[in-house]
Amino acid sequence: MNNNDVLRRVRYIFDYSDQVMLSIFQQGGYESNQSELLTWLKREEEPGFVACKDIELARFLNGLIINNRGAKDGVIPEPETVLNNNIILRKLKIALDLQADDLLAILKLVSVEPSKHELSALFRRADHKNYRQCQDQLFRQFLNGMEKRYRQG
């Protein structure tokens, strides 16, 4: 999935306004404005579309963590310069304070039932022998499950 899709999906799931989105970016250490945000929220085929860079999405996800759970030691964490589905999944897990059982329940909402071992492999270090890369299909299913769990109305 691309960063713009993740940004759009999170916004839709939690029904965030432009101002809330900009506030979350700010909490993550990035000063954005409404016109820049709107270019990231456009679809690729729309005129004016601008790709959201990894560092910008990382700042948004860090801001989401701070917004939901508070800043750790009052410090804004340094954003990753390269993201993958595993890192994004981990940041969403932290922001929403999800445990393994919560993740499994979210995936079960969309008829995906990995074992706890398969799930824990997604959160291991990349150099660990049991690390497993989170494929786009599983990540999309997770976002679909989040939508079923958190989307109001």
Side-chain angles (χ1 to χ4, degrees):
M1 288 190 73
N2 72 41
N3 295 340
N4 299 64
D5 289 338
V6 173
L7 207 55
R8 276 194 303 273
R9 294 287 302 270
V10 169
R11 175 191 171 104
Y12 176 75
I13 290 167
F14 298 108
D15 198 23
Y16 289 151
S17 67
D18 290 351
Q19 289 309 313
V20 171
M21 293 289 287
L22 292 172
S23 169
I24 291 171
F25 269 109
Q26 187 177 29
Q27 290 176 68
Y30 185 77
E31 291 294 329
S32 186
N33 58 52
Q34 189 168 14
S35 61
E36 182 177 40
L37 176 65
L38 293 177
T39 63
W40 290 333
L41 296 174
K42 290 180 184 269
R43 302 217 178 267
E44 287 183 35
E45 62 276 1
E46 292 181 71
F49 168 84
V50 174
C52 180
K53 296 177 187 152
D54 285 351
I55 195 165
E56 294 158 346
L57 181 60
R59 287 198 183 276
F60 174 78
L61 294 169
N62 289 344
L64 187 63
I65 292 169
I66 292 168
N67 186 62
N68 292 352
R69 302 198 49 193
K72 189 174 184 178
D73 302 326
V75 177
I76 297 173
E78 276 302 309
E80 293 81 354
T81 55
V82 177
L83 291 178
N84 61 34
N85 291 345
N86 297 64
I87 295 169
I88 297 169
L89 184 63
R90 180 181 305 115
K91 288 183 174 290
L92 289 172
K93 176 182 179 273
I94 293 167
L96 301 172
D97 197 18
L98 301 173
Q99 303 301 315
D101 289 336
D102 300 319
L103 291 167
L104 291 171
I106 287 171
L107 288 168
K108 191 172 186 172
L109 291 172
V110 290
S111 304
V112 176
E113 297 188 40
S115 70
K116 280 191 177 183
H117 297 292
E118 291 171 317
L119 191 63
S120 70
L122 300 174
F123 297 102
R124 297 188 184 280
R125 285 189 334 266
D127 60 351
H128 191 280
K129 68 177 184 161
N130 292 327
Y131 170 81
R132 185 170 145 229
Q133 187 173 4
C134 181
Q135 300 298 320
D136 282 349
Q137 182 179 1
L138 178 64
F139 187 65
R140 269 192 213 94
Q141 293 290 27
F142 175 73
L143 290 174
N144 290 340
M146 277 181 52
E147 184 177 331
K148 286 186 176 195
R149 181 170 179 175
Y150 295 106
R151 179 77 179 149
Q152 304 300 316

